[in-house]
Amino acid sequence: MIRHVCVGTVLMLLINIEGTFCLYPPQDVKLVGSYLQWKKPPDEDSVLYLLQCKHGSKSDDEWYNVMSHNETELRFKISPEFYEAVFRVRAEKGNNMSEWQYSKKVQCVNANSCVPVMKLSVKPEKAYVTLEHMDESLEKEHGENIQFNVSFWKVDNGGYSKVEFIITNSRKQILELESGQNYCFQVQYLFYEKPYGNVSNQSCAIIPETLEMIKSRDLLFIILTTLLFTAMCGVCIFMLFKHHKKVKQLLQPLRLVIPDHYLEFLKSGDGEFPLQACSSPSSQSLQSCDMIIVIENSSVKQKGQEEEQVF
C-alpha cells in the first residue's frame, strides 16, 4: 500500500514538472557585438521572456532581473556595467515556463568600454611602459586592427608640455626621456585608427637622474658654496681693514676708576687702612664704633704687658 502511494506521488511530481516546463526555451542565445540576442521558441506565439544576469562566477551568486515580460524584443543592449556578467533567459506563458538558456561571459568585445591595462616603471633617462588587454577577446576578434595609443607629456611648473603619441601593437615600450622631470602617461585603444573604449587613468612618475648627473650637481654645489664662503670672508676682511680704528676702540676693555682711599691703602707701606673723619652726623655711630675698637685693642695690649711684668 505504501509502495503504491509513493509511486503515485512521484508520478504526480513528474507530471507537474512536465506541465511547468512544457514550453520550448528561447533558441540560439548568444552575444553579438554589444547585444545579447535570442530567437523565439518554435511553434510558440505570445510568449514572454525573463532575462537575468549575475556578475560572479560562483554557483551560489545571486541572479538579478534585467528584463521581464517582454514579448517583442529579442535582444538586449549590453552596457559597460555588465562586463564579465553572465545572462540567462527563459520563455513564460501563463503558469508555464521553459528551461533557462545561458549566454557566455561578457567580454571587452561586447562591452565597448574596456581600457588597456598599463604598468609603468622608470629608470635613469628611461620609462618602461607595459601594456596588457583586460581579456583577449579584442585581439581575437579584430587582430592587428586593434592598437594601443600611448600618450605622454611633461609636467613643468604646474603646466603641461606638448602631448606626444605612440601608436603600436607591441605590449612593451621603452621611452628615452629627460631625467629629473615629471611625466604623465595614458593609453587608449584604437580600432581602425579611431578611438575605441575609454581612456585609462593618468600614471605619473619622475624620471631618475643618472649617477654622473648626481655627482656633477654635488660638485657644482660644493664649488658654489666655496665661492660664496670666500666672497663673504673677503667682504669681512675689507670691512675690518676700512674701519679698523672703530673696531679697535670697540675691542678695548672698559676703564675702571679706583676710589682714592683704596689707592692710598695700596700705596701705604704699613698695611693699615687709614681712618677717615666723619663728615656728617649720620656717620657718628660708625666713628664711635671705630674708637671703641681702638680702645679695646689698647687695653688688651696693656693687660698683656702687666702679665709679663708679674712673671
Side-chain angles (χ1 to χ4, degrees), residues 44-58:
E44 294 290 348
D45 295 325
S46 302
V47 295
L48 304 177
Y49 302 100
L50 176 63
L51 179 65
Q52 293 182 339
C53 77
K54 71 173 182 177
H55 287 83
S57 59
K58 298 180 181 179

Side-chain angles (χ1 to χ4, degrees), residues 81-147:
E81 63 266 21
F82 291 108
Y83 177 72
E84 290 192 332
V86 176
F87 291 94
R88 67 179 183 179
V89 60
R90 73 182 180 188
E92 296 181 351
K93 188 175 183 180
N95 294 328
N96 299 327
M97 61 189 69
S98 69
E99 295 180 352
W100 291 104
Q101 296 296 304
Y102 295 84
S103 72
K104 294 181 179 181
K105 183 183 294 186
V106 176
Q107 295 184 316
C108 286
V109 72
N110 310 119
N112 290 340
S113 61
C114 285
V115 177
V117 179
M118 179 177 63
K119 296 180 180 179
L120 176 65
S121 61
V122 292
K123 290 184 178 181
E125 296 185 341
K126 296 183 186 297
Y128 297 84
V129 181
T130 304
L131 305 171
E132 297 290 344
H133 296 288
M134 293 179 65
D135 57 56
E136 302 300 325
S137 60
L138 287 175
E139 193 173 22
K140 290 180 180 179
E141 183 73 17
H142 304 300
E144 295 184 354
N145 294 320
I146 193 75
Q147 296 175 302

Side-chain angles (χ1 to χ4, degrees), residues 23 120 142 145 151 207 209 224:
L23 294 179
L120 176 65
H142 304 300
N145 294 320
S151 58
I207 308 302
E209 296 179 339
L224 292 177

Side-chain angles (χ1 to χ4, degrees), residues 53 98 131 139-140 149 178 200-201 229 238 257 267 294:
C53 77
S98 69
L131 305 171
E139 193 173 22
K140 290 180 180 179
N149 183 19
E178 184 178 354
S200 68
N201 295 327
F229 179 75
F238 174 77
V257 179
K267 290 179 180 180
V294 172

